[in-house]
Amino acid sequence: MAQWTSAMGAAQLARLLNSQQDRPAGPGTRRPPAYRALADGIRLLVLEGRVPVAARLPAERELALALSVSRTTVAAAYEALRTEGFLESRRGAGSWTSVPAGNPLPARGLEPLPPEALGSVIDLGCASLPAPEPWLTRAVQGALEELPPYAHTHGDYPAGLPALRAMIAERYTLRGIPTMPEQIMVTTGAMGAIDAICHLFAGRGERVAVESPSYANILQLMREAGARLVPVAMADGLSGWDMDRWRQVLRDAAPRIAYVVADFHNPTGALAGDDQRRQLVDAARSAGTVLVADETMTELWLDDDVDMPRPVCGFDPAGSTVITVGSASKAFWAGMRIGWVRAAPDVIRSLVAARAYADLGTPVLEQLAVNWLFSTGGWEQAVDIRRAQARENRDALVGALRRQLPDWEFEVPKGGLTLWVRTGGLSGSRLAEMGERVGLRVPSGPRFGVDGAFEGYVRLPFTVGGAVAEEAAARLAAAARLVENGVSGGGGESPRTFVA
């Protein structure tokens, strides 16, 4: 990492360090020297993602005053972190967090398990459910009936089928966000939408602010596009965003774009409130940052008492700050690769023009299928099926985890498709590795962080239920025992530490 991209104030870092004191120490644990305890505390905050990688730390004197310790203690802690690879410094630029080069972030995304392995391996890698039949079949049949007029054309619709653009615009209008078809572009899934936005707004080397943790495949997409990711730690639990951190990053790092999932955040399940959304839009506007709001989970509330906030774009009436991304893949079926962008008309025109050098357009038949669902009421009935499946699976998984791994920590989200689980001090990467041995595929926390953060977490999706959820938790517990017993997976990692 060449330099810092955000800053951590002394008072803020002191609060985070003091919060660690609530965690009980193990039996017989000896109290380490003060500098060592401070270094370990900062290292853990970095690995958990609560302090972003590439965040400038306060000067030694400032932190010493905030913690009521000697400057010598802070200097020794900083030196220990530099030696271990968790801190870099440069004269005149200060010191900023990093992770050791020997702990690379996995380069792959969360690719689906090959179909031939489904019989022997429980796949918790992808947060996707089977299609909500009979609605997939009915939608395809309806699309085939509508296809003949389009078959007599060239079939090239870079902005999307006019009928589907109009339908998506109408759906936003019904949500209280007046929208014209000229503000909509249909894409090949949400990934295609965000890829197009990144190429338009964030060239190679541009800073992009992202939640920490965030959706693994989007982070990898942005890395491969050459973006410099600026992580912004989420608030504790399911309370959404930490607005003090967001304001600080937007002010200090001035990222070109910021990517957020406000509705049942992937992976934590957090739901940002109206006031947080308003404040973030205002802060982005002031910083000149384009705010990309991912709404792929917005219809997946699972509990009856959920009061859904206003869409993020609802706090940007001029349409100059927020670009919204939606998709049929999460709420309906991952195999339905239809997404869309809602933005100002000039932005849509620029995205459409750039598409000539990308994928040209989205398949017509799938667009017709989604349009059939929207226009017939089939979408609402299919999403009801999806919610019921996810709710049942969530409750089964939560119960199984509490029985099999009672020491692991998590909060149960009211929507979405994922559970973000703290693994009781075990390495998430080792758990993923040992999971392969016991027939379980589970993604480790670092896939959802920037530069190795969140080693103490795994993400568990609501994709299995009933006896399969119980078996998945049992296999996860078996993997945990292998890690605790120090079984080698070839990587030589210590079972109770987060780094090699």
Side-chain angles (χ1 to χ4, degrees):
M1 188 72 68
Q3 61 185 15
W4 59 273
T5 56
S6 62
M8 176 69 63
Q12 184 180 14
L13 181 56
R15 285 195 301 272
L16 291 172
L17 289 165
N18 289 334
S19 71
Q20 296 175 331
Q21 296 176 2
D22 297 332
R23 299 183 183 180
T29 302
R30 297 180 59 184
R31 190 178 185 86
Y35 86 89
R36 184 69 260 172
L38 176 56
D40 288 346
I42 294 174
R43 176 174 61 88
L44 182 59
L45 289 172
V46 171
L47 287 168
E48 289 185 343
R50 300 175 72 193
V51 170
V53 175
R56 186 177 64 175
L57 295 187
E60 295 170 2
R61 188 185 303 276
E62 294 174 357
L63 186 57
L65 288 172
L67 293 173
S68 298
V69 300
S70 70
R71 182 177 177 182
T72 302
T73 297
V74 178
Y78 277 16
E79 180 58 32
L81 290 168
R82 275 190 288 269
T83 300
E84 296 163 3
F86 285 92
L87 198 68
E88 296 184 23
S89 303
R90 189 171 66 238
R91 186 177 299 277
S95 299
W96 57 93
T97 56
S98 62
V99 291
N103 291 266
L105 189 69
R108 294 178 301 166
L110 303 182
E111 68 279 1
L113 189 70
E116 61 270 17
L118 291 176
S120 59
V121 178
I122 297 177
D123 184 11
L124 296 183
C126 294
S128 300
L129 288 163
E133 289 287 27
W135 295 105
L136 174 62
T137 299
R138 292 180 182 178
V140 173
Q141 290 171 342
L144 288 172
E145 293 175 1
E146 298 291 333
L147 183 61
Y150 294 94
H152 293 292
T153 73
H154 49 61
D156 186 4
Y157 298 88
L161 294 184
L164 181 56
R165 296 176 71 195
M167 183 60 68
I168 294 171
E170 180 181 339
R171 291 174 66 84
Y172 276 106
T173 300
L174 291 173
R175 293 171 66 191
I177 314 296
T179 302
M180 302 179 296
E182 292 79 10
Q183 293 177 261
I184 302 296
M185 181 178 82
V186 180
T187 62
T188 307
M191 292 287 288
I194 293 169
D195 182 56
I197 293 166
C198 287
H199 279 88
L200 180 63
F201 287 97
R204 185 165 293 276
E206 292 276 7
R207 292 176 177 173
V208 177
V210 295
E211 296 150 327
S212 183
S214 186
Y215 179 39
N217 287 340
I218 292 297
L219 294 180
Q220 189 61 23
L221 182 155
M222 292 177 174
R223 290 188 191 98
E224 293 182 357
R228 296 174 58 196
L229 301 182
V230 183
V232 186
M234 297 287 290
D236 291 336
L238 300 176
S239 55
W241 301 318
D242 185 325
M243 286 312 306
D244 288 338
R245 293 180 182 178
W246 269 106
R247 279 188 288 267
Q248 184 178 33
V249 166
L250 293 175
R251 181 182 63 246
D252 295 345
R256 185 69 183 91
I257 65 175
Y259 168 76
V260 297
V261 185
D263 302 317
F264 309 118
H265 174 260
N266 186 352
T268 68
L271 178 64
D274 280 322
D275 192 51
Q276 290 175 319
R277 297 169 190 237
R278 181 183 297 105
Q279 290 185 54
L280 185 57
V281 172
D282 290 344
R285 185 184 298 113
S286 297
T289 297
V290 175
L291 186 60
V292 180
D294 185 332
E295 285 193 339
T296 53
M297 297 283 189
T298 193
E299 296 190 66
L300 290 176
W301 66 85
L302 304 182
D303 294 337
D304 293 337
D305 61 348
V306 176
D307 185 14
M308 288 300 295
R310 187 172 173 80
V312 175
C313 59
F315 299 98
D316 180 37
S320 59
T321 300
V322 178
I323 297 178
T324 303
V325 172
S327 172
S329 297
K330 293 297 185 184
F332 186 75
W333 183 48
M336 188 67 77
R337 305 305 304 162
I338 297 295
W340 53 86
V341 177
R342 181 199 181 274
D346 61 319
V347 172
I348 294 297
R349 286 193 293 270
S350 297
L351 289 170
V352 171
R355 198 169 192 180
Y357 309 101
D359 64 354
L360 295 178
T362 303
V364 169
L365 187 62
E366 292 186 24
Q367 291 188 71
L368 288 172
V370 172
N371 191 60
W372 184 92
L373 287 166
F374 284 159
S375 61
T376 62
W379 176 267
E380 285 71 24
Q381 296 185 64
V383 172
D384 282 344
I385 294 173
R386 171 66 72 243
R387 291 194 195 105
Q389 290 175 321
R391 184 187 306 112
E392 182 178 343
N393 289 355
R394 178 198 63 180
D395 296 346
L397 181 63
V398 165
L401 286 173
R402 286 175 172 162
R403 287 187 291 272
Q404 298 283 349
L405 293 157
D407 295 333
W408 287 19
E409 302 172 41
F410 55 86
E411 291 193 44
V412 182
K414 291 181 175 293
L417 291 172
T418 56
L419 196 66
W420 186 236
V421 182
R422 188 195 295 268
T423 58
L426 297 179
S427 162
S429 297
R430 291 296 312 283
L431 285 166
E433 188 178 8
M434 292 301 103
E436 298 285 348
R437 290 192 172 198
V438 298
L440 178 71
R441 189 167 181 267
V442 57
S444 63
R447 287 180 177 265
F448 305 89
V450 175
D451 295 327
F454 303 108
E455 187 59 78
Y457 290 82
V458 293
R459 189 198 75 172
L460 304 178
F462 311 144
T463 53
V464 296
V468 180
E470 193 70 41
E471 178 62 21
R475 294 187 187 186
L476 192 56
R481 288 192 293 272
L482 290 176
V483 174
E484 289 175 325
N485 293 333
V487 175
S488 174
E493 294 176 289
S494 171
R496 271 288 178 181
T497 57
F498 294 154
V499 296

